[in-house]
Every structure is written in C-alpha cells, then in structure tokens.
Amino acid sequence: MRVMKFGGGCLGNSADLLRAAALTKGPTTVVVVSALGGVTDTLVQILDRTARRNRFPLGLFRNLSQRHRDCMQALTSRQGQTQNGFNRIDQLLKGLEQLLRGISCIGEVPPSIRARVLSYGEELSCVLMCAALETRNVPATACDARHCGITADRPGTNARIDLTRTRRKLRRNLPPLIKSGRMPVITGFFGRAPDGTTALFGRNASDYTAGAVACALDARELVIWKGVDGIMTMDPAYGGDARSIERLTWEEVKELTHFGADILHPLTLDPLENSRTRVRVRNFRKPGLAGTEISSATKDNTDKICGITCHPGSTMLQLAATPGKLHRLLARLEEIPGVPSARITSLVTARDRITLLMPSADARSVRRALAASIDPTIRLLNSRDDRTLVAVVGQALHHARGLAQLMDALATAGITLEGITPGGAAASVCLVVPGNQAGRCLQAIHKRFFPPAPPAPPCIAKGDQP
C-alpha cells in the first residue's frame, strides 16, 4: 500500500493533473490532494470581501469557476467519456455561490461557515484528479474526507485529527473500494468535526491528512510531491548554496518544521510516530530524483548539522516579575485576556525575568493586554520588533566543537546575536537576530557547515600526461 499526496504547488492546470495521474502507476495507491495552486488564497479573498463589503465579488468567483471548468474541459476532451465530472464541478460551484451569497446578506462569517467555504478548493481538485486518472484508464472515486472517515477533534479552523476514530473509519471504508479496483482520491486539509460541521486542520494541512491516511492503512510508503528537490539545507530564497538533504530523522524534521521550514505541515509526521511507513519528499517536476527520505532510524553523521531554518517577522518581549516570584509570573500571564492565545515560538527564563519570542501580530495583542492589566507583579521591560528566529538542527550541536563552529561563523560574519537557547528534542540551537541580518546569518552558517564542493580537476588528455 502506498499513499501519494499532491500539493497545490504541483497542481496548477490540466497538464499538471495528468502528470500527477501518471505518477500514481505501480503498487496499490491512495491519493490525497490539495486545492489547485492559489485557490485557497482566492477563496479567502472572496470570503473576506463578501463579509466586509456585504457584496458578492462576482468577478473573482467567475475567474475561479472558469479555471476549474477549463481544467475539466481539457480532461474530458481527452477521455471522451460522460459529463459526470462536469456535472459534479457545476454542482460544487453552485453550492459555493449560494453559500457566499448568504454570507453577503448577513455580513458575518462564523468559523464553521468559513471552514465550509475553504473546503471547496479540495473538493473541486479531487473531482479533477479523478477525471485525470480516468484518462489513464484508472477507475477512481472522489472521497470527501468528512464522509470517508477523516475525523477532527473539535470544530473550527485549527483542529487536529482524531487518530483513533479516523483509523477505525478509514480501515472500514477504504479497503472495499480498493478491492473493487478503484483508486480512492481523498480531499486533504479538512475533516468532520464531532458536531457534524467542517473542521480545518490549518493552512497547508493536506500533508497532515496524508500522514493520517498512511497511518490508518499501515502504508508501506508515503510520497509527498512538492515543487522542490526535497527538504533543503536552508531556504533558497535567502540565497546561498542550498541543496536537498538525502536523509532525515523524524525528530529533525519536526524541529525544522516547527521553527519555520514550510516544506511540510508541522503535524505531518505525528500520526506515523510508531509506524514503519517510509516517508519521501520528492520533486513533482523531477520525478527521477530520489528526494528526501524521512525515517525513525538514527543516523551515523553525528558530527554534522542537517539544516537551517528561520522564523521571520517576530517580536521579542522581555517581562520582569517581582523578585522571587517568577513562577507566579507564568501563572499570571495565563490569566490575562489576550495572552494565552499568543503563539509563543521561544521562551527563556532567568532569575526574575522572562523573554518571549512570538509573531509580531500576536505581540501587538499581548502588549495591549499587558497595558490594560492592573497586575503590579508584571512589567514589560522592553519590546523589539523585526526579529528573526534562526534554528540550526543537527547532531553536531551536541558537541563543543559544533557549537564553537557555529559561534565562530556568526562572529566572522558580524552577526548581532540577541538571544540563544536550546531547541526541542532533536539537537538544535535557536538564535535571535535582527531581521535585516537574517539572510546574512543563514548564509554564514550554511557556508560553514555546508562548504561548496571543490571544483573538479581539469581533464588531461592521455597524450598530454608526462
């Protein structure tokens, strides 16, 4: 059994859908799909305009509709079959339009309705993928995640998958479909909440859905197709000689994704914690490349780091407590409205002070909450915006030599180091630097631990040898 997940960056048009269909050949495969590239962003834009202006943005909706109809037209013209796919696309688009027009009348969007609207992108993509598979004479069935068994633990737009219920339902619903010779194509990103509404698992969460499906079916392999060669040693957007990583452990990937590497959803590997499923991240445009393999096995390269990532757009807040009352400070912060919901990226304590690093948008809410609080035991000492958290992950950081190399690279590049703390379970170190030094910081670390390959020696003709 093999599970394949195709992200929105892979699915842009009918040609991409046909390419994805070709990649599913081989062993028994279950497919998980995201919305077509950019569709979720478009739905968010339509939704926000509709609610804010109490007007339905007809132009945006028509462009979205036409894009999916054009894809279906290209696919059905190749397969020369019935209009079932067209009918389903039209049915979905009509349901979406009715929902949006209702929102324009009331001018507000409850979380459950927002989740329902955003789920349409995956539903449309799922129907198109089935049509693409049909062109290759592969019978396929579009499986709505809510109906086939993907169960959320709560309603809303930031739920998690209930792995116990999901495993039970998928193992009941999917095997009969597979045995009948049909390939299941499952919508990623969302599932069914306990109250029967649609629940989202966060942006880019189709990876997470694929991990849950692979776990439920005891899949031998989970292949996640992306638009890059695998998980990279650093974000190529920051320059440098970024390269794909051949092999990573579960803990290393979790650490990289937690601290900003957006190649995978941070929860993707959680369902596979104790499984034997092999996970690969591969390039959709270059299927001949092996990509990055992720496994639970430990590696021998204990003297190296595996990757560098960063979390830009952060704010560092330093708070002070009454001397000897630091433990009370943490408890009191939980009681101030607006603070517990902040996404804290890093936390460091020292004597009577605590330093928090969080996204700048959350920091603004926390500052307002602290200013409105009358608690005399908490004082905001300083706040620094435009900070970047840089995480360096690898076994080399267990040793003094690795840490010395890291510090020397920063000093040589003239990086202002404003904070340093250990990371999570995997060997990692988190650094806080000014935002305008982030690119230089990543490049300096990368150059130290991933030096450019030496140039190949010149080729000497046999007759020229002495």
Side-chain angles (χ1 to χ4, degrees):
M1 176 71 68
R2 183 176 59 171
V3 176
M4 286 192 171
K5 181 266 176 179
F6 295 93
C10 303
L11 306 177
N13 49 41
S14 59
D16 289 340
L17 288 158
L18 292 169
R19 185 182 291 110
L23 291 172
T24 63
K25 65 181 179 180
T28 303
T29 302
V30 175
V31 175
V32 177
V33 293
S34 299
L36 299 187
V39 165
T40 303
D41 288 335
T42 301
L43 287 171
V44 169
Q45 190 178 6
I46 291 174
L47 194 58
D48 290 346
R49 286 192 186 183
T50 303
R52 188 171 62 249
R53 302 179 184 178
N54 284 57
R55 288 181 56 188
F56 178 54
L58 187 58
L60 273 177
F61 181 78
R62 282 178 174 170
N63 291 339
L64 180 76
S65 301
Q66 194 59 48
R67 180 182 178 187
H68 289 88
R69 289 193 175 106
D70 288 346
C71 280
M72 183 56 76
Q73 177 65 50
L75 295 171
T76 52
S77 64
R78 287 178 62 94
Q79 68 187 71
Q81 295 183 4
T82 65
Q83 292 291 100
N84 288 343
F86 256 125
N87 294 340
R88 181 57 182 153
I89 290 289
D90 285 340
Q91 182 183 11
L92 287 170
L93 290 172
K94 185 177 293 184
L96 175 59
E97 182 178 1
Q98 290 174 347
L99 197 56
L100 290 168
R101 289 191 181 280
I103 292 170
S104 70
C105 293
I106 62 176
E108 60 182 51
V109 190
S112 60
I113 299 300
R114 185 178 187 84
R116 180 69 188 98
V117 170
L118 297 184
S119 71
Y120 272 94
E122 275 69 19
E123 288 189 76
L124 291 162
S125 175
C126 188
V127 175
L128 293 173
M129 176 60 81
C130 288
L133 288 164
E134 295 283 352
T135 66
R136 300 188 61 84
N137 298 317
V138 178
T141 298
C143 299
D144 186 313
R146 292 165 295 215
H147 303 146
C148 72
I150 304 295
T151 306
D153 64 348
R154 57 184 178 271
T157 57
N158 197 30
R160 291 200 176 193
I161 296 175
D162 184 326
L163 294 176
T164 302
R165 287 186 171 85
T166 295
R167 181 180 177 87
R168 184 175 66 247
K169 292 179 181 179
L170 289 179
R171 290 173 73 90
R172 181 182 66 223
N173 296 333
L174 293 187
L177 193 61
I178 295 170
K179 288 179 181 178
S180 71
R182 303 193 68 83
M183 182 178 292
V185 180
I186 304 173
T187 54
F189 182 47
F190 63 88
R192 181 184 177 89
D195 62 359
T197 61
T198 300
L200 305 184
F201 304 124
R203 291 298 300 268
N204 304 314
S206 294
D207 296 338
Y208 182 29
T209 302
V213 172
C215 169
L217 301 179
D218 297 322
R220 174 181 58 84
E221 182 180 44
L222 167 60
V223 182
I224 299 177
W225 294 99
K226 298 284 184 177
V228 293
D229 293 346
I231 299 178
M232 310 297 283
T233 51
M234 66 174 280
D235 187 343
Y238 287 93
D241 184 27
R243 60 200 77 169
S244 63
I245 306 168
E246 181 181 353
R247 188 173 292 106
L248 287 169
T249 66
W250 303 88
E251 290 298 335
E252 288 169 342
V253 174
K254 287 181 179 180
E255 202 76 351
L256 289 168
T257 54
H258 175 73
F259 287 115
D262 58 2
I263 185 69
L264 290 178
H265 188 278
L267 298 177
T268 301
L269 300 180
D270 282 9
L272 302 169
E273 191 73 48
N274 298 311
S275 76
R276 296 184 179 180
T277 302
R278 184 179 66 176
V279 181
R280 282 195 175 274
V281 180
R282 300 179 61 185
N283 192 333
F284 179 72
R285 310 290 174 187
K286 303 175 185 177
L289 299 180
T292 299
E293 179 180 347
I294 307 169
S295 70
S296 57
T298 57
K299 302 184 298 183
D300 296 329
N301 56 342
T302 56
D303 61 336
K304 297 180 180 179
I305 69 167
C306 62
I308 315 158
T309 187
C310 69
H311 202 294
S314 297
T315 293
M316 188 162 64
L317 301 177
Q318 190 174 64
L319 308 176
T322 303
K325 306 294 184 182
L326 181 61
H327 63 288
R328 294 187 180 179
L329 169 59
L330 294 172
R332 292 294 296 153
L333 283 174
E334 284 291 321
E335 298 172 4
I336 298 176
V339 175
S341 60
R343 296 163 293 172
I344 297 175
T345 312
S346 179
L347 181 152
V348 179
T349 61
R351 289 200 311 142
D352 58 346
R353 296 185 181 185
I354 181 171
T355 301
L356 306 174
L357 193 75
M358 63 186 68
S360 294
D362 288 353
R364 287 191 287 271
S365 300
V366 170
R367 281 195 295 253
R368 286 195 297 268
L370 291 172
S373 171
I374 59 174
D375 192 330
T377 64
I378 303 176
R379 291 181 295 117
L380 177 60
L381 294 181
N382 62 63
S383 173
R384 302 177 188 175
D385 292 321
D386 190 26
R387 291 314 185 252
T388 295
L389 177 72
V390 176
V392 187
V393 181
Q395 297 298 319
L397 300 175
H398 271 313
H399 311 293
R401 181 182 175 185
L403 287 171
Q405 286 182 298
L406 175 60
M407 293 298 105
D408 184 62
L410 297 174
T412 301
I415 302 300
T416 304
L417 184 59
E418 298 186 343
I420 180 169
T421 181
S428 63
V429 169
C430 298
L431 316 169
V432 180
V433 301
N436 59 4
Q437 297 183 16
R440 192 152 48 90
C441 177
L442 266 69
Q443 292 172 25
I445 299 171
H446 193 275
K447 186 176 181 180
R448 179 60 59 93
F449 288 96
F450 300 96
C459 181
I460 302 176
K462 187 175 181 180
D464 295 336
Q465 293 179 353

